[in-house]
Amino acid sequence: MKAFVTKHFLLLVIVAAIVFALAMKATIFQQATVHDVPMTEPSASFRQYWLSGKAELNRYSLEQAQYGALNAGDAMLIFATEDFRTDLHVKAETPESRDKAVPVLKTNLVKRFTTGIYDYSLFTSVFTPINNPTFPNTLKVSTSEQDWLGHSYLQIDYGNNGYQIDGRSYLEKEVHDAYSVPKVMLEDELWNRIRLDPGKLPTGSIKLIPGTMTARLRHKRLDPLDATAKLDDYEGVLFPGRNLKAYRLEYPTDERNLMIVFEYVFPYKIVGWTETYTSNDNLLTSRAVLRTTIQSDYWNHNAPADSVLRDTLMH
């Protein structure tokens, strides 16, 4: 034994040092923890608006393309901040999980419309870290679709420098999707990026993972696509607001365009959007136009008496 130790002394010292360093969480083998890189402190206006314990609720009148026609409905865009676990990709709800979480801006996009006799309901949630250098990428997107034929679910999770996509559906050809795509920006996160800092929106020739809600309606796979992005002044009359900018996306290989219109003053309110693509051989443009905005801690207002708040929102 003594001869073995003497012969391999240097190797044993190195191994012991690595084991000690791992135990002390102090080596290059350790993954970065949530708090390894300090965040840039949010501005006072950001803290006052987004960290006040209230969400921003926006209601839009909607015309949604489906089955070769435009269908009337409503859309909601709900923005709120919360602590989000980077390991499980769920909201942190206990004190013990706070050290595993980062602050995120969450988008909930809801669309409800009627096609003929039956209804459609779609819901997308997007979780984007707020200016965290350790976690710069959107961590998760989930989308569900319900109609009288059945329902489906789609989830995108960030990990291993890419995105894992998993889906379930009542349709035979989409019964179980499971595949990975490279790390590129998500179309679904653009709503959050506008609210965080529209000056950092990508422009020119880019790659994007298309929006999950439209992908489900069109039964499309979520492969990254080439796109052209442009940010310029909005000069139309359809959308209300002040100092309006339009962020425009064109997908040449998918024959689809998206335009998001927003106020170019903080808090960069989104006043509407249009989306153009072919549905049942008809080239149609879906539209959503802002009608009402309120701020509310809506999760605390779930009693029958709180319906007056809904009346205000839906007016």
Side-chain angles (χ1 to χ4, degrees):
M1 181 67 180
K2 181 178 180 181
F4 176 84
V5 172
T6 301
K7 182 177 180 180
H8 300 285
F9 179 76
L10 181 58
L11 176 62
L12 291 172
V13 169
I14 293 173
V15 170
I18 292 175
V19 170
F20 177 78
L22 284 170
M24 298 301 294
K25 299 183 179 180
T27 85
I28 61 172
F29 301 104
Q30 290 293 116
Q31 293 184 343
T33 62
V34 169
H35 303 293
D36 278 345
V37 181
M39 286 178 54
T40 302
E41 188 68 23
S43 67
S45 57
F46 185 95
R47 293 196 303 271
Q48 182 178 5
Y49 192 85
W50 290 116
L51 304 180
S52 63
K54 293 184 178 181
E56 182 193 87
L57 313 178
N58 303 278
R59 174 184 169 258
Y60 303 78
S61 59
L62 176 69
E63 290 183 303
Q64 179 63 48
Q66 185 70 345
Y67 302 127
L70 290 174
N71 305 278
D74 282 289
M76 291 289 301
L77 260 179
I78 304 165
F79 294 95
T81 55
E82 63 186 29
D83 292 330
F84 194 72
R85 290 186 59 161
T86 60
D87 53 349
L88 300 179
H89 289 181
V90 295
K91 181 179 179 180
E93 296 185 294
T94 62
E96 294 77 18
S97 66
R98 298 296 187 211
D99 287 340
K100 302 175 183 177
V102 295
V104 300
L105 181 61
K106 176 177 69 174
T107 300
N108 283 338
L109 172 59
V110 186
K111 290 182 181 179
R112 294 190 176 95
F113 57 95
T114 302
T115 57
I117 191 175
Y118 65 95
D119 303 320
Y120 266 79
S121 178
L122 300 104
F123 196 115
T124 294
S125 294
V126 188
F127 304 87
T128 304
I130 300 171
N131 197 25
N132 190 303
T134 306
F135 296 94
N137 300 100
T138 289
L139 296 174
K140 179 180 177 180
V141 177
S142 60
T143 291
S144 59
E145 174 198 352
Q146 306 84 38
D147 62 71
W148 288 9
L149 300 177
H151 60 94
S152 62
Y153 182 80
L154 187 64
Q155 183 164 301
I156 304 175
D157 280 293
Y158 180 74
N160 298 321
N161 211 34
Y163 284 102
Q164 176 64 35
I165 299 174
D166 293 288
R168 298 290 190 277
S169 175
Y170 64 92
L171 296 174
E172 181 179 2
K173 292 182 179 180
E174 301 172 350
V175 62
H176 185 190
D177 286 330
Y179 55 94
S180 299
V181 296
K183 179 185 71 175
V184 298
M185 185 168 282
L186 303 158
E187 180 186 306
D188 283 331
E189 74 182 87
L190 292 174
W191 316 89
N192 278 341
R193 298 296 178 189
I194 288 171
R195 304 311 303 270
L196 291 171
D197 187 353
K200 294 182 179 179
L201 289 168
T203 58
S205 298
I206 61 174
K207 278 191 178 290
L208 286 173
I209 297 173
T212 51
M213 197 174 280
T214 302
R216 297 311 292 180
L217 289 175
R218 301 172 72 204
H219 307 291
K220 294 275 190 176
R221 180 182 159 103
L222 288 174
D223 291 311
L225 296 179
D226 292 324
T228 301
K230 182 168 61 173
L231 178 63
D232 56 18
D233 294 334
Y234 175 73
E235 298 179 349
V237 296
L238 178 62
F239 300 105
R242 56 197 178 105
N243 298 331
L244 296 184
K245 291 283 188 179
Y247 187 64
R248 307 172 196 268
L249 292 176
E250 296 184 6
Y251 293 93
T253 61
D254 197 34
E255 298 181 341
R256 173 173 164 261
N257 300 331
L258 173 66
M259 178 178 70
I260 305 173
V261 181
F262 60 94
E263 295 184 337
Y264 204 58
V265 290
F266 185 83
Y268 312 116
K269 185 188 302 180
I270 294 173
V271 299
W273 64 90
T274 66
E275 183 181 21
T276 302
Y277 57 83
T278 299
S279 174
N280 286 22
D281 298 324
N282 290 330
L283 185 65
L284 299 172
T285 297
S286 302
R287 295 179 178 86
V289 180
L290 181 64
R291 295 305 182 206
T292 312
T293 298
I294 65 172
Q295 284 186 291
S296 173
D297 54 338
Y298 65 88
W299 46 88
N300 292 323
H301 299 286
N302 45 35
D306 295 320
S307 61
V308 295
L309 295 174
R310 183 172 179 85
D311 292 340
T312 300
L313 181 64
M314 302 305 289
H315 178 70

